[in-house]
Short mmCIF file of all heavy atoms in Angstrom, two decimals:
data_model
loop_
_atom_site.label_atom_id
_atom_site.label_comp_id
_atom_site.label_asym_id
_atom_site.label_seq_id
_atom_site.Cartn_x
_atom_site.Cartn_y
_atom_site.Cartn_z
N GLN A 12 8.22 11.11 4.06
CA GLN A 12 7.53 12.37 4.31
C GLN A 12 6.48 12.64 3.24
O GLN A 12 6.82 12.61 2.05
CB GLN A 12 8.52 13.53 4.25
CG GLN A 12 9.46 13.61 5.39
CD GLN A 12 10.19 14.95 5.35
OE1 GLN A 12 9.60 16.01 5.58
NE2 GLN A 12 11.45 14.91 5.02
N PRO A 13 5.27 12.96 3.63
CA PRO A 13 4.28 13.33 2.62
C PRO A 13 4.35 14.82 2.32
O PRO A 13 3.42 15.57 2.61
CB PRO A 13 2.95 12.94 3.29
CG PRO A 13 3.21 13.12 4.76
CD PRO A 13 4.67 12.89 4.98
N SER A 14 5.48 15.26 1.78
CA SER A 14 5.65 16.71 1.57
C SER A 14 5.40 17.13 0.13
O SER A 14 5.65 18.27 -0.23
CB SER A 14 7.06 17.16 1.95
OG SER A 14 7.57 16.44 3.00
N GLY A 15 4.95 16.20 -0.71
CA GLY A 15 4.69 16.57 -2.10
C GLY A 15 4.44 15.31 -2.90
O GLY A 15 4.37 14.22 -2.33
N LYS A 16 4.32 15.46 -4.20
CA LYS A 16 4.09 14.28 -5.04
C LYS A 16 5.33 13.40 -5.06
O LYS A 16 6.45 13.90 -5.09
CB LYS A 16 3.79 14.74 -6.47
CG LYS A 16 2.41 15.32 -6.64
CD LYS A 16 1.91 15.02 -8.05
CE LYS A 16 0.41 15.08 -8.16
NZ LYS A 16 -0.14 16.41 -7.99
N LEU A 42 3.66 7.46 7.38
CA LEU A 42 3.74 8.76 6.72
C LEU A 42 4.26 9.74 7.75
O LEU A 42 3.58 9.99 8.77
CB LEU A 42 2.35 9.22 6.27
CG LEU A 42 1.61 8.41 5.20
CD1 LEU A 42 2.54 8.04 4.08
CD2 LEU A 42 0.92 7.20 5.75
N SER A 47 7.02 16.45 8.03
CA SER A 47 6.67 17.35 6.91
C SER A 47 6.35 18.76 7.39
O SER A 47 6.48 19.73 6.63
CB SER A 47 5.47 16.80 6.14
OG SER A 47 5.83 15.63 5.48
N VAL A 51 6.23 22.17 5.33
CA VAL A 51 4.91 22.48 4.75
C VAL A 51 4.07 23.17 5.82
O VAL A 51 3.87 22.60 6.90
CB VAL A 51 4.17 21.19 4.30
CG1 VAL A 51 2.81 21.52 3.69
CG2 VAL A 51 5.02 20.37 3.33
N ASP A 53 0.89 24.53 5.13
CA ASP A 53 -0.47 24.67 4.62
C ASP A 53 -1.20 23.37 4.99
O ASP A 53 -0.91 22.30 4.44
CB ASP A 53 -0.39 24.88 3.10
CG ASP A 53 -1.75 24.96 2.44
OD1 ASP A 53 -2.71 24.33 2.93
OD2 ASP A 53 -1.85 25.66 1.42
N GLY A 54 -2.13 23.48 5.96
CA GLY A 54 -2.79 22.29 6.51
C GLY A 54 -3.53 21.47 5.47
O GLY A 54 -3.46 20.24 5.46
N GLU A 55 -4.24 22.17 4.58
CA GLU A 55 -4.99 21.43 3.56
C GLU A 55 -4.07 20.63 2.67
O GLU A 55 -4.32 19.49 2.32
CB GLU A 55 -5.76 22.42 2.70
CG GLU A 55 -7.26 22.29 2.87
CD GLU A 55 -7.98 23.43 2.21
OE1 GLU A 55 -7.89 23.56 0.97
OE2 GLU A 55 -8.58 24.23 2.96
N LYS A 56 -2.96 21.29 2.33
CA LYS A 56 -1.98 20.62 1.45
C LYS A 56 -1.40 19.40 2.13
O LYS A 56 -1.30 18.33 1.53
CB LYS A 56 -0.83 21.58 1.11
CG LYS A 56 -1.00 22.27 -0.20
CD LYS A 56 0.35 22.81 -0.66
CE LYS A 56 0.16 23.66 -1.89
NZ LYS A 56 1.12 24.72 -1.99
N LEU A 57 -1.00 19.56 3.39
CA LEU A 57 -0.37 18.43 4.09
C LEU A 57 -1.34 17.25 4.18
O LEU A 57 -0.96 16.09 3.96
CB LEU A 57 0.12 18.84 5.48
CG LEU A 57 0.82 17.72 6.25
CD1 LEU A 57 2.05 17.19 5.51
CD2 LEU A 57 1.24 18.18 7.65
N ASN A 58 -2.60 17.57 4.47
CA ASN A 58 -3.60 16.51 4.55
C ASN A 58 -3.76 15.81 3.20
O ASN A 58 -3.79 14.57 3.12
CB ASN A 58 -4.93 17.15 5.00
CG ASN A 58 -5.88 16.09 5.49
OD1 ASN A 58 -6.51 15.41 4.67
ND2 ASN A 58 -5.96 15.92 6.79
N GLN A 59 -3.81 16.60 2.15
CA GLN A 59 -3.98 16.01 0.81
C GLN A 59 -2.75 15.19 0.41
O GLN A 59 -2.87 14.06 -0.08
CB GLN A 59 -4.24 17.13 -0.21
CG GLN A 59 -4.74 16.63 -1.55
CD GLN A 59 -5.98 15.75 -1.43
OE1 GLN A 59 -6.95 16.12 -0.77
NE2 GLN A 59 -5.97 14.57 -2.03
N PHE A 60 -1.55 15.73 0.66
CA PHE A 60 -0.32 14.99 0.32
C PHE A 60 -0.31 13.64 1.05
O PHE A 60 0.09 12.63 0.50
CB PHE A 60 0.94 15.76 0.76
CG PHE A 60 1.28 16.97 -0.08
CD1 PHE A 60 2.03 18.02 0.47
CD2 PHE A 60 0.90 17.06 -1.40
CE1 PHE A 60 2.38 19.13 -0.28
CE2 PHE A 60 1.24 18.17 -2.18
CZ PHE A 60 1.98 19.21 -1.61
N THR A 61 -0.74 13.67 2.32
CA THR A 61 -0.71 12.44 3.12
C THR A 61 -1.62 11.39 2.49
O THR A 61 -1.23 10.23 2.28
CB THR A 61 -1.14 12.72 4.57
OG1 THR A 61 -0.34 13.80 5.06
CG2 THR A 61 -0.98 11.51 5.47
N ARG A 62 -2.85 11.81 2.15
CA ARG A 62 -3.78 10.87 1.52
C ARG A 62 -3.25 10.37 0.18
O ARG A 62 -3.37 9.19 -0.16
CB ARG A 62 -5.15 11.54 1.28
CG ARG A 62 -5.80 11.85 2.56
CD ARG A 62 -7.04 12.68 2.44
NE ARG A 62 -7.63 12.63 3.74
CZ ARG A 62 -8.34 11.60 4.19
NH1 ARG A 62 -8.64 10.61 3.41
NH2 ARG A 62 -8.76 11.58 5.42
N ASP A 63 -2.62 11.28 -0.57
CA ASP A 63 -2.08 10.89 -1.87
C ASP A 63 -0.98 9.84 -1.72
O ASP A 63 -0.93 8.88 -2.48
CB ASP A 63 -1.48 12.11 -2.60
CG ASP A 63 -2.58 13.03 -3.14
OD1 ASP A 63 -3.75 12.59 -3.18
OD2 ASP A 63 -2.26 14.17 -3.51
N VAL A 64 -0.12 10.03 -0.72
CA VAL A 64 0.98 9.06 -0.54
C VAL A 64 0.42 7.70 -0.12
O VAL A 64 0.92 6.66 -0.56
CB VAL A 64 2.02 9.58 0.48
CG1 VAL A 64 3.08 8.53 0.74
CG2 VAL A 64 2.68 10.85 -0.03
N VAL A 65 -0.63 7.70 0.69
CA VAL A 65 -1.24 6.43 1.07
C VAL A 65 -1.74 5.71 -0.19
O VAL A 65 -1.44 4.54 -0.42
CB VAL A 65 -2.41 6.64 2.07
CG1 VAL A 65 -3.13 5.33 2.34
CG2 VAL A 65 -1.89 7.23 3.37
N ASP A 67 -0.75 6.15 -3.22
CA ASP A 67 0.40 5.76 -4.05
C ASP A 67 0.96 4.41 -3.59
O ASP A 67 1.17 3.51 -4.39
CB ASP A 67 1.54 6.80 -3.94
CG ASP A 67 1.18 8.14 -4.58
OD1 ASP A 67 0.12 8.22 -5.23
OD2 ASP A 67 1.95 9.10 -4.39
#
Side-chain angles (χ1 to χ4, degrees):
Q12 288 192 70
S14 326
K16 285 212 159 68
L42 295 316
S47 292
V51 181
D53 177 329
E55 246 169 65
K56 263 199 187 149
L57 181 59
N58 197 281
Q59 193 55 49
F60 287 155
T61 308
R62 293 172 169 281
D63 286 347
V64 175
V65 174
D67 292 352

